[in-house]
Amino acid sequence: MNAIASAFLAGLLFGLGLIVSAMTDPSKVIAFLDLTGSWDPSLALVMGGAIVASWIGIRLGDQQAARPAGAHDVTPEGRGAPTLSPERADGDVPRSGIIDRQLLAGSALFGIGWGVTGFCPGPMVTGLGLGFWPAGVAALTMLIGLRVGTRFTSAPTSG
Amino acid sequence: MEIDWARFTPWQALAGGLLIGTAASILWLRNRRIAGVSGILGAMLERGGLHSWRVAFVAGLVLAPLVFQPLLSRIPLSAPRMPGGEGTTLFLQLLAGGFLVGLGTRIGGGCTSGSRRVRTGPAVPRSLVAVPVFMATGFLTVFLWRLAGGLGA
């Protein structure tokens, strides 16, 4: 399976997971965040399931990386890098383990936007495929936000 | 706090979560990339960032409802719905909230999927801080929304 096919498959399964768990439904997400209303704990189980399944992937990846040189798959973009390293700071890989003001402020702002809309980025994108118009509106300004946010990130990103 | 048993869908939530995690594992094992949607979208907006694997991942996210339509029609799923406001209020809410989601994830370096995915390497402590912070402001925002009377029963 080449890098494009595997990325496409990953996107498809990610989207399927969001729909099956109803995370594409903002009222479901808000029902989780609404502690003083009638609370729907579903989102916690989505997170739990995702952590378990991705943890297995990390373990398998560590084994893959531990194999002798040349034994692991070489893809055009990921040459079997054993773990995340700050050197591979090319936009979508977290830059470092440093906890700074950006991390705190950014996460806080994201939480407000999440609470206001019931959308995080994934469901906005899959919402487009569902033909759910609020997802399209939120996605539009999210893209602007992503663009504007680049100005406030400390380390310049390459790539 | 009162659990809404009628709305609680534990099995679907768990199954969906496992699918999301499996997708993240595939991207990690085959591409050595993190399935963080905000990170991928943000990188696509940068000069030279429109790599084919990113386009393929986003295409998969958009096409999932169509590709899995035969399967999804067999699962009891309620249509997505916006709680609270309507009309202009809802529209402004989406514009402002969407912007904050984009801005926040870019500055903070990740959204939910990216954060929960990153349990290894140097980014672990970041994720352990980021998740409680956005959870807290998310809870607070909805609490204030309810306090202001914007959310019905």
Side-chain angles (χ1 to χ4, degrees):
Chain A
M1 190 161 50
N2 71 34
I4 295 169
S6 57
F8 182 64
L9 177 67
L12 278 179
L13 292 180
F14 202 114
L16 178 67
L18 289 174
I19 302 167
V20 168
S21 59
M23 292 297 103
T24 44
D25 180 0
S27 70
K28 185 93 175 162
V29 175
I30 301 287
F32 171 79
L33 292 175
D34 191 11
L35 290 173
T36 53
S38 45
W39 191 53
D40 179 354
S42 303
L43 191 145
L45 288 178
V46 181
M47 272 201 155
I51 289 170
V52 168
S54 55
W55 181 81
I56 293 170
I58 292 167
R59 291 287 122 191
L60 290 173
D62 289 347
Q63 286 172 17
Q64 219 178 47
R67 266 184 258 157
H72 38 75
D73 295 321
V74 177
T75 60
E77 290 177 312
R79 296 189 188 281
T83 48
L84 294 173
S85 64
E87 290 78 43
R88 290 193 63 221
D90 50 359
D92 50 350
V93 174
R95 286 172 291 273
S96 68
I98 301 162
I99 290 152
D100 50 18
R101 277 218 304 254
Q102 270 96 347
L103 177 79
L104 297 173
S107 302
L109 289 175
F110 163 52
I112 296 170
W114 189 42
V116 165
T117 59
F119 276 123
C120 43
M124 285 185 205
V125 179
T126 300
L128 292 176
L130 285 170
F132 185 49
W133 72 265
V137 177
L140 201 73
T141 49
M142 172 190 60
L143 292 176
I144 298 170
L146 284 172
R147 198 82 190 95
V148 173
T150 311
R151 292 183 200 171
F152 298 94
T153 50
S154 47
T157 50
S158 64
Chain B
M1 189 198 296
E2 229 178 279
I3 292 183
D4 188 343
W5 294 105
R7 268 199 292 196
F8 185 36
T9 48
W11 298 114
Q12 278 178 223
L14 210 54
L18 289 171
L19 279 166
I20 294 167
T22 304
S25 288
I26 290 172
L27 201 67
W28 178 244
L29 293 170
R30 308 297 310 185
N31 299 64
R32 285 286 162 184
R33 293 289 178 166
I34 291 169
V37 179
S38 62
I40 289 173
L41 290 173
M44 281 170 80
L45 293 173
E46 285 177 18
R47 199 178 302 158
L50 211 62
H51 294 169
S52 45
W53 76 268
R54 289 193 185 118
V55 178
F57 181 81
V58 173
L61 272 180
V62 176
L63 293 174
L66 309 166
V67 171
F68 296 109
Q69 172 56 33
L71 177 80
L72 290 168
S73 60
R74 289 155 192 259
I75 308 173
L77 285 169
S78 48
R81 189 174 63 78
M82 295 304 300
E86 285 177 342
T88 316
T89 316
L90 172 60
F91 198 73
L92 292 175
Q93 192 183 319
L94 288 166
L95 289 177
F99 179 76
L100 287 177
V101 168
L103 185 71
T105 52
R106 198 65 183 149
I107 297 173
C111 54
T112 16
S113 50
S115 326
R116 81 168 84 101
R117 176 67 185 80
V118 183
R119 300 278 161 192
T120 182
V124 170
R126 281 180 67 88
S127 150
L128 290 180
V129 171
V131 177
V133 170
F134 73 67
M135 282 277 195
T137 55
F139 282 127
L140 186 67
T141 303
V142 174
F143 175 70
L144 293 174
W145 191 2
R146 176 162 284 288
L147 214 63
L151 284 167

